[in-house]
Amino acid sequence: MFLYEGGSIVALGEVIGEYQFVPEHNYPHQRLVDWFEYAPLHISKVSPDLAPVMLKSFSTLDRLDADQADAFERLLSRAETYEPEAAFWDGDWRDVYARVFEAEGLQYTAWQRAVFFTALQTKGFVILSGISGTGKTKIAQAFAEALPVPPDGRAVEFLTVRPDWRDSKSLLGYHNPITEKYEWTAFLRFLMRAKASWEARDGLAWFVILDEMNLAHVEHYFADLLSIIESGRDADGWSREPIRLGERFDEDGPPAELRLPPNLAVIGTVNLDETTHAFSPKVLDRAFAIELSDVSFNLYLPGISSTSAMLTESERWALLNAFSSDGEYPRINREAAGKLVKDQSHLRDWMQALNTSLRPYHMHFGYRVFDEVMAFVDHGQRNGLFAAIAGEDEEIAAAFDAAVLMKVLPKFHGSRQRLEGPLASVIAWCQNPANPVPSDVVEMIRSADSPGAMETQLMSARYRFPQTAHRAIRMLWTAYVEGFAAFG
C-alpha cells in the first residue's frame, strides 16, 4: 500500500499484520504496516497508467497488485523516471508569456514584461510600485495563475496588508499561552505547503502576493523574512538561515525552525500616497523594485477572457520550466555572475564609474547591489526577453539598464538640495558610462528657463541607458517642482 498526501506519494509499505480495532485511538481501524523510506514523489511524476490508482477512494485500503507495487517502487527509488509530455513541448515559451496578459486585456510593454519575469527569476522578492490602477496586482496574479498548479488548484496566496500589522506575528503566527496552541496564519500554512512541494520535487512555483505592502511598516511585520532573504541561498536553493518560530508546544504546531524553499516568490504591491509608509533602504536593498506608471489606452480592451482557460497544460509547463531555469529557481549565483563579468568586463567598469560618481554624495552602493545587477543581466541574457526588445547586440546593455534602474534609483529620496547633484551624476553616467561629465548636465539644468524646459532638454539627449536616465530626469523635475522627490 502507499500513503498519498499533498499531491505526492509520501510512503510505500507492506501490510504485515491482521486487522485490529483500537477504540481509544483517533483511527481505530488498524493494521500493522512495514513502511519503506523514500523521498516524496509528486503525482505529476507518475505515469498515466499508475496515476488513476492514486486517485481512488481513501475510505478503504486499496491493495496494489504486484506489478503496480513494483512500478511504484521503481519510481520512488528513482530507478525509473517519468516526465510528462509537457516537458517535451517544442514551442516558444515567450509567445506563451506574452499571451498570459493579452488574454485578459492587460496592457504591459515588452520592457515591463521582461523586467518583471527576469527580476522574479533572479531574486524571488519583487516590489511593484506606482500610481493606483496600473495593474500591479494583476500582473502578479495573471502570471502566477498561468503556471501549473498543485492538485488542490492553489499555488498563490493573496494577502492584504493591514495597518495594524506591527510585528512578525501577523505573518508567522505565535504560540497562544492561554490555549497552549500555536495560532497559525494563512502565510505560514502556505509556506509549509510550498516547502512540502519542494521536498516532493514536483517542480511547481508558489507565490505570495502582499497587496498594499506599505500600509504598515514593512520593517516591522516583515523583519524576520528580510533577514532570511539577506542570508542568501545554499547550494540546494534553501535560505541559509531559518525562520525561528520558537519551541514546539503542541503536536499541531509548526517546526521550531523553517527555512525558505527556493520555489517560493514574494511579490509586494505598493501605492504611494499620504496613507502609506515609505520604504527604508533596508527593504529596497533586498528586493527588485519595479515601477509601473506608464499607461496607454490605445490598445486597452478590458475584460477579454480568462488566461487560465486559454493555455494548454503543455504551455503552462513550458512557461514554468523557463521561469524556474528547469527547476533550479532563483538564487544569486555568484559563479555565473563572475563568469559574466569576466566575459563582459566593461560591466564592472560601468558599475565602478557610477559608484565613484555617487560616492561624494554618500549615495554609493555595496557588493550586494553589484551581485544582484550582474545576476539579473545573466538571467536576462539567458531568457532572451531583452534580445527581443533591443536586439542581440544590445540585450546585455538593456538588461543592465533595467537592473541599475531597479537597484540604484529606488534609494534616491529627499529634497532638491540633496538630490540635484547625485541625479545629475546618474544622468551624466547614462550618457557616457565610461567617462561621465556631470558638470555638463548641471549646466543644462541651470540654463533652463523652467522645470518643464529642463525636462524637455534633458529628455531629448541621447543615452546609453535610457530607462535609468529618463526616470532620473523625472525625479529631478519633481524635485524642482515640489521640492522633494522619491522613487515610486
Side-chain angles (χ1 to χ4, degrees):
M1 63 172 293
F2 62 87
L3 179 60
Y4 177 68
E5 183 180 37
S8 298
I9 303 176
V10 296
L12 187 70
E14 181 181 358
V15 178
I16 60 174
E18 296 299 324
Y19 167 79
Q20 55 182 326
F21 180 72
V22 185
E24 69 275 9
H25 199 277
N26 290 335
Y27 301 96
H29 304 284
Q30 300 183 5
R31 293 185 71 174
L32 188 62
V33 177
D34 183 16
W35 294 106
F36 311 112
E37 292 187 8
Y38 295 105
L41 181 72
H42 192 261
I43 189 174
S44 63
K45 302 297 184 181
V46 175
S47 57
D49 57 324
L50 288 175
V53 178
M54 300 174 63
L55 303 178
K56 290 183 179 180
S57 169
F58 298 105
S59 61
T60 60
L61 296 180
D62 294 311
R63 178 185 295 178
L64 301 175
D65 63 38
D67 290 338
Q68 290 172 336
D70 184 56
F72 274 124
E73 186 172 12
R74 289 198 304 271
L75 288 169
L76 284 163
S77 64
R78 276 46 176 188
E80 279 186 15
T81 57
Y82 167 76
E83 293 294 337
E85 182 181 350
F88 306 103
W89 187 73
D90 60 357
D92 192 335
W93 65 268
R94 297 169 192 85
D95 296 334
V96 177
Y97 180 56
R99 283 170 44 214
V100 166
F101 309 110
E102 294 169 0
E104 295 194 11
L106 301 172
Q107 294 297 314
Y108 303 103
T109 66
W111 186 85
Q112 288 172 332
R113 296 197 303 266
V115 170
F116 175 74
F117 187 94
T118 309
L120 273 179
Q121 271 193 315
T122 305
K123 182 80 173 183
F125 179 30
V126 170
I127 295 174
L128 304 174
S129 70
I131 61 175
S132 180
T134 52
K136 298 182 294 295
T137 302
K138 286 292 186 181
I139 191 173
Q141 289 177 316
F143 178 68
E145 292 171 1
L147 300 179
V149 297
D152 66 3
R154 281 194 56 79
V156 184
E157 187 68 30
F158 183 88
L159 300 173
T160 301
V161 174
R162 296 169 52 91
D164 60 354
W165 285 14
R166 295 185 175 89
D167 55 40
S168 60
K169 294 177 183 177
S170 305
L171 281 180
L172 300 175
Y174 61 95
H175 174 73
N176 189 327
I178 299 175
T179 63
E180 296 188 352
K181 296 286 186 180
Y182 197 89
E183 299 293 338
W184 287 77
T185 63
F187 175 84
L188 183 57
R189 292 188 186 279
F190 189 79
L191 177 55
M192 293 293 291
R193 292 179 59 218
K195 175 178 177 291
S197 167
W198 178 253
E199 290 173 338
R201 294 294 176 181
D202 60 16
L204 299 179
W206 298 71
F207 298 87
V208 173
I209 299 175
L210 293 173
D211 196 42
E212 299 198 57
M213 191 178 187
N214 60 334
L215 277 180
H217 283 289
V218 179
E219 300 86 343
H220 295 173
Y221 71 86
F222 209 63
D224 290 352
L225 289 164
L226 283 174
S227 298
I228 303 307
I229 291 171
E230 182 184 10
S231 74
R233 303 275 183 175
D234 64 19
D236 296 321
W238 293 92
S239 62
R240 292 187 183 277
E241 295 297 326
I243 300 171
R244 292 178 171 83
L245 300 174
E247 184 180 349
R248 186 171 183 169
F249 291 93
D250 61 275
E251 291 184 358
D252 296 326
E257 294 185 345
L258 183 62
R259 293 198 297 165
L260 296 181
N263 59 343
L264 179 72
V266 178
I267 304 172
T269 69
V270 177
N271 288 326
L272 300 175
D273 56 41
E274 65 278 1
T275 68
T276 60
H277 301 277
F279 281 134
S280 70
K282 177 181 179 179
V283 177
L284 296 171
D285 206 33
R286 287 155 178 77
F288 276 96
I290 305 173
E291 187 182 34
L292 297 179
S293 293
D294 294 331
V295 177
S296 173
F297 303 124
N298 293 332
L299 300 175
Y300 180 57
L301 294 172
I304 298 301
S305 60
S306 172
T307 300
S308 58
M310 298 190 66
L311 298 182
T312 67
E313 197 65 15
S314 295
E315 289 173 331
R316 290 172 179 273
W317 277 100
L319 184 58
L320 176 61
N321 289 339
F323 169 67
S324 69
S325 300
D326 292 323
E328 290 189 7
Y329 284 100
R331 68 184 179 93
I332 303 301
N333 188 333
R334 300 189 70 182
E335 182 178 340
K339 184 178 184 304
L340 175 69
V341 172
K342 185 176 180 180
D343 296 339
Q344 308 282 340
S345 59
H346 57 280
L347 296 177
R348 180 170 50 198
D349 297 337
W350 289 345
M351 290 291 283
Q352 181 60 50
L354 177 59
N355 220 25
T356 300
S357 295
L358 294 177
R359 186 181 296 276
Y361 307 100
H362 304 288
M363 300 186 73
H364 51 296
F365 44 85
Y367 295 111
R368 181 190 295 112
V369 169
F370 183 94
D371 288 345
E372 293 186 3
V373 167
M374 296 307 159
F376 182 94
V377 174
D378 177 58
H379 279 285
Q381 185 180 26
R382 287 190 282 121
N383 66 36
L385 291 171
F386 289 95
I389 299 171
E392 292 185 3
D393 293 340
E394 291 296 320
E395 67 172 334
I396 290 180
F400 181 79
D401 185 7
V404 170
L405 171 60
M406 290 185 289
K407 295 304 300 180
V408 177
L409 282 189
K411 289 182 285 187
F412 279 52
H413 66 278
S415 65
R416 167 185 162 183
Q417 182 178 6
R418 180 173 188 266
L419 291 183
E420 184 179 46
L423 285 174
S425 296
V426 170
I427 295 168
W429 176 83
C430 290
Q431 286 181 318
N432 184 358
N435 186 28
V437 185
S439 59
D440 291 348
V441 176
V442 171
E443 185 177 346
M444 293 175 67
I445 294 171
R446 301 289 168 77
S447 63
D449 296 332
S450 66
M454 172 194 68
E455 182 184 30
T456 300
Q457 187 175 358
L458 289 173
M459 284 288 190
S460 64
R462 294 176 60 86
Y463 295 99
R464 187 72 176 89
F465 307 123
Q467 297 290 343
T468 302
H470 293 167
R471 186 64 187 95
I473 292 167
R474 292 199 303 273
M475 291 180 69
L476 186 62
W477 177 89
T478 302
Y480 263 77
V481 171
E482 300 182 4
F484 180 92
F487 187 92

